[in-house]
Amino acid sequence: MAEQENQEIGHKELAHKTLLQSDALYQYILETSVFPREHECMKELRQMSEKHPWGLMATPPDEGQLINMLVKLINAKKTMEIGVYTGYSLLSTALALPHDGKIFAIDINREYYELGLPMIEKAGVAHKIDFKEGCALPLLDELLLDENNKGAFDFVFVDADKDNYLNYHKRVIELVRVGGLIGYDNTLWSGAVARPPDAPMLDYVKQFRSYVIEVNKYLAHDSRIEICQIPVGDGITLCRRIM
């Protein structure tokens, strides 16, 4: 029964986070277009994160590559990251920003961030990061008290507690500029969003499934944004603010 349940849940043996149904195909993507272009410090940070007990929380390398390109495409200079962990996506963003670019980074755990900090410093981009330890909602509310912060950010990446995604959106939509991007990670939630609520799934997947479904529905009907949901990693929804 347990074996059947694992088959229903999906690939449990894979170290990567992806909805691709082929190990070989995912490895092909990594070896052909991701790893050859991966910055040496990002490689070092990725390998360190993979060995960490909570390594599953790290942004996968193909998604890091996507974020790096998006930041460059929109000529971002001021960005925000909610949920940092060891900083793979943070480093990806920092490397894409100009020398005077800035990232306002928020995480409840400084210890994890400091694990990746030596690689960020080695890459020469630590000066671009303003790290804040604490809960994101009060920090976002504090930013909103200053009118100068509204519409001041070019790109916001959210990869934090899924039960607060909707609360984050209601705040960051005011902080990102018109024409800017917001990226929400894990919006396909291990494929659970398309499964019946009584389908076999891991406890943490089941616990937050309804919140991910809720924010997906909200984003789909939010007239202030254009959206594109991309099946990279565990799913990333890009929101371009249009009003």
Side-chain angles (χ1 to χ4, degrees):
M1 175 65 94
E3 184 177 337
Q4 179 183 357
E5 188 170 305
N6 275 344
Q7 288 176 350
E8 297 237 6
I9 292 171
H11 293 301
K12 304 257 58 80
E13 72 279 6
L14 300 183
H16 61 75
K17 293 198 308 181
T18 179
L19 293 173
L20 287 174
Q21 296 300 298
S22 165
D23 292 1
L25 183 56
Y26 184 66
Q27 199 62 34
Y28 174 83
I29 293 170
L30 293 179
E31 292 179 359
T32 304
S33 64
V34 179
F35 290 159
R37 300 295 187 99
E38 187 179 35
H39 191 283
E40 189 60 35
C41 293
M42 290 192 67
K43 178 182 179 181
E44 196 175 330
L45 179 51
R46 171 175 57 81
Q47 291 176 338
M48 181 275 291
S49 301
E50 286 171 352
K51 296 172 185 174
H52 191 269
W54 292 99
L56 189 65
M57 290 168 53
T59 300
D62 50 334
E63 188 172 331
Q65 185 183 56
L66 173 64
I67 291 169
N68 182 277
M69 181 173 284
L70 288 172
V71 171
K72 292 174 181 174
L73 284 171
I74 65 171
N75 295 313
K77 191 170 182 180
K78 186 174 183 178
T79 75
M80 180 187 300
E81 183 155 334
I82 303 173
V84 172
Y85 185 48
T86 55
Y88 189 84
S89 56
L90 188 65
L91 179 53
S92 181
T93 301
L95 287 166
L97 289 173
H99 182 76
D100 59 346
K102 294 295 179 185
I103 310 171
F104 187 76
I106 308 171
D107 200 287
I108 58 171
N109 193 315
R110 178 179 289 274
E111 179 185 347
Y112 293 159
Y113 166 66
E114 289 183 347
L115 289 175
L117 189 54
M119 281 71 90
I120 293 171
E121 291 174 337
K122 184 178 176 181
V125 294
H127 67 281
K128 301 180 185 180
I129 299 167
D130 179 13
F131 180 84
K132 299 292 184 183
E133 182 180 24
C135 295
L137 290 177
L139 288 168
L140 293 173
D141 287 338
E142 186 179 333
L143 285 175
L144 287 166
L145 290 176
D146 185 347
E147 290 293 321
N148 292 323
N149 289 323
K150 294 182 178 180
F153 291 84
D154 302 301
F155 178 68
V156 179
F157 183 60
V158 183
D159 183 11
D161 43 330
K162 313 311 167 195
D163 47 336
N164 269 317
Y165 264 31
L166 195 51
N167 291 324
Y168 294 145
H169 181 71
K170 291 175 180 179
R171 289 161 172 80
V172 299
I173 190 65
E174 293 188 54
L175 294 167
V176 73
R177 66 172 170 83
V178 173
L181 284 178
I182 308 168
Y184 291 100
D185 202 17
N186 306 113
T187 56
L188 294 178
W189 203 231
S190 300
V193 292
R195 296 195 195 104
D198 58 348
M201 60 186 83
L202 297 174
D203 288 343
Y204 83 93
V205 174
K206 183 184 285 285
Q207 180 183 356
F208 295 105
R209 173 184 173 275
S210 62
Y211 294 107
V212 179
I213 290 174
E214 178 187 30
V215 76
N216 285 341
K217 288 181 178 178
Y218 188 93
L219 296 177
H221 294 93
D222 189 343
S223 61
R224 298 168 295 179
I225 56 175
E226 296 173 330
I227 69 169
C228 180
Q229 193 169 34
I230 306 173
V232 171
D234 194 27
I236 179 172
T237 299
L238 299 177
C239 309
R240 178 177 177 268
R241 183 179 174 187
I242 56 175
M243 60 184 294

